[in-house]
Amino acid sequence: MFFCTIIPATVGVTPDNLARELEQFLAEARDALVLEDGEPIFEMASARFSINSDHGKCLLQLWSPERNLVRRVLDLELKKDGLQLSAQKFGQTKPIKIEIVRDRDQRTPTAKRAARSGYQRMLKRVQEKQFPELSCGPLSTAMDLNRSFSPVYTRGLMKKGRSAFAVLGVNAQESQASVDAALTFAILWLDHCREREAPRAHVEGLKLFVPPAMSAVVRERMSNLNHAAAKFELYELNEREQSVEQLDCSDRGNIKTRLVRCVDESAARERFAGAIAKVLALASEAEVIVLSATEIAFRLHGLEFARARIAAEKSSFRNAEEITFGVGPYEAVFGEENEEAFAGFVHRVVASRRADGKRDDALFRMHPERWLESLVVKDVVALDSELDTTQIYSQVPAFSASDRAMIDVLAATRSGRLAVVELKADEDIHLPLQGLDYWARVRWHHARGEFRQYGYFPGRELAAEDPLLYLVAPALRVHPATDALLRYFSPEIEWALLGIDERWRDGVRVVFRKRRERAAAG
């Protein structure tokens, strides 16, 4: 990605400018979709890439577990929704078009509006059939930026006398991420309806409609809300059959999650001592992160730039140590032929990844939350003096049937109480409920004694209490909806919202904090 000379087809565009555009786009478009002649071929969230500039040609290679592709890049053009490449297949002279688009939902705006309009009409019919005792008001998908309401969701109100329910639904053509996020917007819609209807009606609660087999995350989240504050009802809506099934969200024991065993770090560091010495000689401040018994990562302020792993040798049944380098999905294998390039790349990372770096540098801007995470891990007491600095875990995998969760930071207080830290470097409306996800999973595994069983906090006696939840973001980037969302959390969840100084790269400093103390027993 950093060492390619692109031969431009457009006069006046220099190879350096083209390479810079390609590098920056691919570095920041981690969830992009790659299309060749209009057909989707790779999702960058699960694919890798490399670029080679041998013999004055720019060769772009993309690969995933399913396929491998190599194309010669001739030119590129930055579009509003992505990057368009002019490229060639091997043995062909006619250029082809490759698009790398940021939004994986490739439906046209007209198709999206049609699907949402059809769902709106269908949801109205279902409401009238399933809840004949309630009068159904008009439904809307209108965007309201002031209240963070998106056209992805259909919303309305159902009434009976002076009693009412807020209603929100999402259709099956939307992404799983949109379905998972539905509860955030549903709570905000409920809160808005309560404020708006206060003189005329009492909005008792919420009826949330999601597609079948896509409800797991929403159900887990809803089980940890304050059901005394509102009646939360979750339904799976089958659009084809126009039927609904209500799900039980009162049971907080319905989480399906799997904890990954903690790795023996000392053994892994000993195994990769040679690779560690080689990389640290170029970047002495790099963080060595043990990923597994056979793989380690090198990061600088949270930005991963190299890995060492045990891999099978080509044309051999033997395993050997291999170093790869690159940023994001870009990957190149280190060898004698590119040793100079590797050193140059690492030096560039070191020059860019610093607190006083240039804001327009792609390497500076990448993974700000990982940067913040690396600072918190080094100085967790900056958040709370009660937190213990001796055993801290970052990016702890806790898988469920519906997603691959990575807990930002898992720590414990000096008294042994677990603490979950969820971090956001930018304004994010989903901070509270994403933090709730991880808190619920930690609580689940802790109740079953699995942290000790899987090697976490060795030699430590963990308190039986539920974990603490810390939600951390720069003070001016805490989303305005955060307070409203936190009001609906279960009173059993002891959370703290921490606003940190905007110049957190110079050091984490809390400038305000809000807390909810755990409800008294009985």
Side-chain angles (χ1 to χ4, degrees), residues 417-468:
R417 189 173 181 184
L418 288 176
V420 179
V421 183
E422 174 67 1
L423 305 164
K424 296 294 181 186
D426 294 304
E427 184 174 277
D428 193 325
I429 196 171
H430 303 296
L431 170 62
L433 266 69
Q434 286 180 356
L436 183 62
D437 277 347
Y438 304 141
W439 178 90
R441 296 182 196 208
V442 170
R443 177 180 181 270
W444 169 273
H445 293 295
H446 177 48
R448 287 153 181 77
E450 292 183 359
F451 285 107
R452 171 169 290 183
Q453 179 184 344
Y454 286 88
Y456 295 87
F457 303 99
R460 186 76 181 276
E461 186 67 31
L462 296 176
E465 298 170 281
D466 284 348
L468 300 166

Side-chain angles (χ1 to χ4, degrees), residues 9 40 126 142 182 191 256 261 309 318 374 434 444 477:
V126 168
D191 201 61
K256 296 180 180 178
R261 180 172 293 279
R309 60 194 178 203
R318 294 181 305 173
S374 70
Q434 286 180 356
W444 169 273
R477 299 175 191 269

Side-chain angles (χ1 to χ4, degrees), residues 488-499:
Y488 290 92
F489 274 29
S490 168
E492 296 179 7
I493 301 172
E494 200 171 330
W495 53 260
L497 174 64
L498 308 182

Side-chain angles (χ1 to χ4, degrees), residues 387-398:
L387 293 172
D388 187 7
T389 61
T390 59
Q391 293 173 321
I392 304 173
Y393 303 90
S394 63
Q395 295 297 304
V396 179

Side-chain angles (χ1 to χ4, degrees), residues 188-466:
L188 296 178
W189 174 240
L190 165 65
D191 201 61
H192 170 68
C193 288
R194 283 184 158 179
E195 181 181 348
R196 186 189 66 187
E197 299 294 321
R200 298 176 295 274
H202 169 58
V203 181
E204 294 185 47
L206 167 73
K207 295 181 186 292
L208 175 57
F209 297 85
V210 298
M214 300 177 74
S215 63
V217 169
V218 174
R219 186 181 180 191
E220 292 174 12
R221 290 176 173 178
M222 191 175 279
S223 70
N224 288 290
L225 298 181
N226 187 353
H227 290 257
K231 295 179 180 178
F232 292 102
E233 300 176 4
L234 178 62
Y235 299 87
E236 286 190 340
L237 170 54
N238 187 312
E239 297 173 36
R240 176 174 295 182
E241 299 177 2
Q242 297 193 15
S243 61
V244 297
E245 178 185 355
Q246 185 172 0
L247 304 179
D248 180 12
C249 295
S250 61
D251 181 9
R252 291 171 67 182
N254 60 12
I255 300 176
K256 296 180 180 178
T257 178
R258 176 174 58 87
L259 188 65
V260 174
R261 180 172 293 279
C262 187
V263 182
D264 184 343
E265 291 204 10
S266 58
R269 287 173 177 269
E270 184 177 345
R271 181 177 298 113
F272 290 103
I276 292 173
K278 185 184 295 292
V279 174
L280 293 186
L282 297 171
S284 59
E285 296 182 6
E287 305 136 13
V288 180
I289 310 297
V290 177
L291 303 175
S292 71
T294 59
E295 190 168 25
I296 62 172
F298 298 95
R299 297 175 187 164
L300 190 60
H301 299 308
L303 177 64
E304 182 175 319
F305 62 90
R307 283 196 181 197
R309 60 194 178 203
I310 304 298
E313 291 184 326
K314 293 182 180 180
S315 305
S316 171
F317 293 104
R318 294 181 305 173
N319 292 329
E321 181 181 297
E322 176 183 83
I323 297 177
T324 62
F325 63 96
V327 170
Y330 173 79
E331 181 179 289
V333 178
F334 171 78
E336 292 182 2
E337 71 283 357
N338 61 6
E339 187 168 359
E340 185 177 340
F342 171 62
F345 164 70
V346 175
H347 288 150
R348 180 178 172 187
V349 171
V350 171
S352 300
R353 201 73 170 176
R354 44 190 294 173
D356 60 351
K358 296 180 180 179
R359 299 288 195 236
D360 61 351
D361 188 328
L363 292 176
F364 177 89
R365 295 199 309 270
M366 287 180 69
H367 302 301
E369 283 163 22
R370 288 285 184 89
W371 193 328
L372 176 57
E373 173 195 309
S374 70
L375 297 176
V376 167
V377 169
K378 291 176 182 177
D379 187 22
V380 72
V381 292
L383 301 181
D384 190 331
S385 60
E386 290 299 309
L387 293 172
D388 187 7
T389 61
T390 59
Q391 293 173 321
I392 304 173
Y393 303 90
S394 63
Q395 295 297 304
V396 179
F399 302 155
S400 76
S402 57
D403 69 347
R404 183 179 186 274
M406 301 294 284
I407 301 165
D408 284 347
V409 176
L410 178 64
T413 65
R414 292 201 298 267
S415 63
R417 189 173 181 184
L418 288 176
V420 179
V421 183
E422 174 67 1
L423 305 164
K424 296 294 181 186
D426 294 304
E427 184 174 277
D428 193 325
I429 196 171
H430 303 296
L431 170 62
L433 266 69
Q434 286 180 356
L436 183 62
D437 277 347
Y438 304 141
W439 178 90
R441 296 182 196 208
V442 170
R443 177 180 181 270
W444 169 273
H445 293 295
H446 177 48
R448 287 153 181 77
E450 292 183 359
F451 285 107
R452 171 169 290 183
Q453 179 184 344
Y454 286 88
Y456 295 87
F457 303 99
R460 186 76 181 276
E461 186 67 31
L462 296 176
E465 298 170 281
D466 284 348

Side-chain angles (χ1 to χ4, degrees), residues 153 174-182 214 430:
Y153 305 102
E174 305 296 346
S175 67
Q176 180 66 60
S178 295
V179 176
D180 294 346
M214 300 177 74
H430 303 296

